[in-house]
Amino acid sequence: MAEPILKVKDVSVSFDNQEVLKDISFSVNEGDVLAIVGPNGAGKSVLFRVLMDFIPYDGEIKWRNDVKIGYVPQKFFEKSELPLTVREFFVLKSKNLFFKDKKFSDSVSHELKSVGLDPEILDKQLAHLSKGQSQRALIAWAILGHPNVLLFDEPTAGIDLAGEDTIYNLLHKMKDERGLTVLIISHDLNVVYRYADSVLCINKERICFGPPKRELTGENIKQLYGESAFYQHGH
Amino acid sequence: MGIDNQFLLIFSSGLFVALAASFLGAFVVAKRMALVGDVLSHVALPGIGLALVFGYDPIYGAAAFLLLAAFGTWFIERKTELPPEAIIGTFFTATLALGVILVPNEELFESLFGNLFAIKPQDAAIIMAVSFIIFILTIMLSRRLTIGIVAPDLAKSAGFKPDLSYLGFLLLFALSVALGIKLIGSVLMGALTILPAVSARNFSWSLKSFLSFSVILGLIMTGAGIFISNYFNFPPGPTVILTGIIFFVISLLFKK
């Protein structure tokens, strides 16, 4: 078997002496989709921040050398004092803020189309996009420049089901067409069943890790979300 | 009242001070640091006082104190995660108190509100050159600053260092305030920084238009303000700010 693209060993994180993550270990193979699940406050987003080296941690995180990460945050366009247009938002990623760069704007249009957005959206203000549009714009932003790993922090709410469904199809398509390795924080276990090659359940510490069909047992889910969790596995 | 050399020196250095301050001001407003900037500018006072006591040009004393305060704010914010206004607010009263003790009485009022010292040609040259350099450096920092403001996590994920661009921004801002001490005064420099940007924000539709209008309005309000102050023999600082307020009121009409 090839070398995993990511190996995480005994990673712990504490804020103010409070342990937020404890001894988390897992690995991800190239081209796989890893779903990270757990209740609110389980440390899922913290784990992403650690993986991108935003915050200090104990333990070992080893990305393969050629890794290039694209990141889709959970929420983004908070009311901003900057009247940024969608075009300008993308141009921030290029070296030229004030000069036109034909090649760059071509690749922006290309990525917009690949996430199902009309390039006409470029002249809109970022703050005026719908939630579904911003989600797609964020994905386009993340995949601009061809990363080989995508970290996707799924929004808990705000995107309608139809929209959600296509976002997952989109991620799936990207995985197939571009060979992207995808790490997704998900709140929907059905989605995990359908799209993930492996699942990591955490609630501060690791509850389970492996193929979803094997790991998402009633017992693990109970342990993860508590006794009251209701879960129906739909095929 | 004729147009004399002193007026020309004030006018041209005023425009350059406005160029740097109003461009930086767009980011000050975007970062929701308007009041921080205002208070930060008062930190100049003890620097002015010490410079006067030891016979240096007050600009240098102000610059030293402001740069130190900017760096201190950045450092403490990083260490403690206290919001910048709390940090600056903590130091403000102390530096103001120190400033009032240190700055000779007759010069205190002018250090706060401008019109302090006659501008010599070499002062004007330094003010213009440094302002222009600040302006260019801010342009170069724009992309990093913007992404750091809009989405710090995205910035980091794309390999930017928002922390460092923020420090660069604070230092440039501190310097630009120091340059305006003689003309506009330390209290009013905060206003010169944010007034053009808040007005521009009311009718801009993109980052580019926001930055351009901030600079254009900054230049117009300063130019017009200095002309009016010369004509009526008002001090330039307050006149510039009042001119700016008129622009702000007009900009409200554009707000949908």
Side-chain angles (χ1 to χ4, degrees):
Chain A
M1 204 173 180
E3 183 82 344
I5 200 163
L6 167 65
K7 269 194 289 193
V8 175
K9 207 171 159 238
D10 297 329
V11 162
S12 303
V13 177
S14 330
F15 298 141
D16 296 328
N17 292 327
Q18 267 215 320
E19 217 149 44
V20 193
L21 285 177
K22 199 182 162 207
D23 298 333
I24 302 286
S25 301
F26 63 96
S27 64
V28 186
N29 291 322
E30 180 165 21
D32 273 4
V33 174
L34 170 79
I36 300 162
V37 300
N40 286 336
K44 306 183 295 285
S45 296
V46 174
L47 180 60
F48 264 16
R49 301 176 70 80
V50 168
L51 291 178
M52 289 182 287
D53 208 13
F54 291 178
I55 47 175
Y57 58 88
D58 293 323
E60 203 184 327
I61 293 178
K62 238 175 136 176
W63 288 101
R64 216 174 57 191
N65 286 335
D66 62 340
V67 115
K68 192 174 169 201
I69 297 176
Y71 169 53
V72 184
Q74 185 177 39
K75 61 176 178 183
F76 168 56
F77 308 125
E78 290 164 51
K79 192 173 177 298
S80 166
E81 298 301 325
L82 278 174
L84 213 59
T85 64
V86 178
R87 186 189 310 280
E88 287 169 333
F89 173 55
F90 279 96
V91 172
L92 289 178
K93 219 178 172 177
S94 107
K95 295 271 177 296
N96 283 325
L97 180 55
F98 295 103
F99 303 100
K100 287 215 162 62
D101 180 340
K102 175 87 171 65
K103 221 174 120 201
F104 185 79
S105 49
D106 283 349
S107 51
V108 170
S109 305
H110 174 77
E111 298 301 9
L112 281 179
K113 279 182 203 138
S114 78
V115 299
L117 285 176
D118 192 325
E120 271 176 30
I121 208 171
L122 283 169
D123 292 316
K124 278 197 172 187
Q125 268 190 39
L126 215 47
H128 296 166
L129 297 186
S130 73
K131 278 186 176 141
Q133 285 172 329
S134 350
Q135 182 76 57
R136 281 159 197 270
L138 282 174
I139 296 176
W141 201 89
I143 59 176
L144 186 70
H146 305 289
N148 47 12
V149 177
L150 193 68
L151 300 190
F152 185 91
D153 198 343
E154 180 199 273
T156 26
I159 294 183
D160 52 61
L161 267 179
E164 230 173 280
D165 197 36
T166 50
I167 290 277
Y168 295 117
N169 288 335
L170 186 69
L171 288 178
H172 207 62
K173 204 178 86 190
M174 274 173 195
K175 178 200 146 180
D176 291 345
E177 285 172 5
R178 311 186 184 215
L180 267 178
T181 307
V182 180
L183 276 68
I184 175 172
I185 292 176
S186 184
H187 310 280
D188 184 344
L189 293 183
N190 284 311
V191 167
V192 176
Y193 263 106
R194 243 193 299 167
Y195 294 104
D197 299 296
S198 48
V199 62
L200 170 71
C201 332
I202 55 173
N203 190 0
K204 295 198 173 120
E205 40 192 356
R206 188 176 104 177
I207 311 277
C208 72
F209 171 62
K213 292 208 163 70
R214 190 187 75 201
E215 296 297 331
L216 290 180
T217 57
E219 195 184 327
N220 276 341
I221 289 162
K222 221 186 276 172
Q223 201 189 340
L224 192 60
Y225 293 98
E227 287 293 333
S228 61
F230 173 74
Y231 172 69
Q232 187 113 44
H233 172 198
H235 275 289
Chain B
M1 180 162 305
I3 291 188
D4 52 28
N5 270 339
Q6 184 60 33
F7 172 75
L8 272 181
L9 288 178
I10 291 179
F11 185 73
S12 43
S13 38
L15 286 186
F16 275 86
V17 167
L19 176 76
S22 55
F23 191 48
L24 278 164
F27 295 103
V28 173
V29 169
K31 254 184 117 47
R32 294 169 185 262
M33 285 180 61
L35 288 175
V36 179
D38 203 43
V39 174
L40 179 67
S41 59
H42 308 346
V43 172
L45 205 57
I48 296 174
L50 281 179
L52 288 173
V53 168
F54 292 103
Y56 287 103
D57 191 302
I59 277 197
Y60 300 120
F65 265 70
L66 282 164
L67 287 172
L68 206 67
F71 184 79
T73 307
W74 177 79
F75 185 76
I76 295 174
E77 190 178 343
R78 224 173 111 101
K79 270 253 139 45
T80 61
E81 287 175 24
L82 283 169
E85 68 257 27
I87 300 164
I88 280 281
T90 310
F91 287 121
F92 164 57
T93 34
T95 51
L96 192 62
L98 196 61
V100 171
I101 292 173
L102 286 175
V103 179
N105 245 345
E106 61 271 28
E107 274 147 347
L108 180 62
F109 184 79
E110 275 95 351
S111 344
L112 290 170
F113 300 105
N115 203 21
L116 177 49
F117 313 91
I119 298 225
K120 290 176 265 169
Q122 62 264 38
D123 293 344
I126 291 176
I127 290 177
M128 288 192 269
V130 178
S131 297
F132 192 68
I133 293 171
I134 294 175
F135 179 67
I136 298 292
L137 289 177
T138 312
I139 287 183
M140 290 165 62
L141 208 57
S142 291
R143 188 170 66 105
R144 291 154 202 284
L145 274 177
T146 306
I147 183 138
I149 292 170
V150 189
D153 276 357
L154 278 187
K156 280 190 240 166
S157 78
F160 294 89
K161 305 240 179 321
D163 220 32
L164 288 182
S165 32
Y166 177 50
L167 174 64
F169 159 76
L170 280 176
L171 294 176
L172 289 173
F173 178 46
L175 255 189
S176 92
V177 171
L179 292 175
I181 294 281
K182 285 194 171 183
L183 288 167
I184 311 288
S186 62
V187 168
L188 297 178
M189 259 319 274
L192 176 61
T193 309
I194 61 170
L195 257 177
V198 291
S199 310
R201 182 65 187 88
N202 278 337
F203 53 80
S204 27
W205 57 89
S206 65
L207 177 68
K208 220 190 242 173
S209 61
F210 177 49
L211 296 177
S212 319
F213 280 125
S214 295
V215 169
I216 292 168
L217 285 176
L219 291 176
I220 296 178
M221 78 182 234
T222 307
I226 292 178
F227 255 113
I228 296 169
S229 77
N230 187 54
Y231 190 82
F232 291 103
N233 214 6
F234 293 154
T239 319
V240 166
I241 300 312
L242 290 177
T243 317
I245 287 289
I246 295 172
F247 284 116
F248 175 69
V249 172
I250 296 172
S251 80
L252 289 176
L253 302 176
F254 286 86
K255 190 80 197 152
K256 281 164 272 180

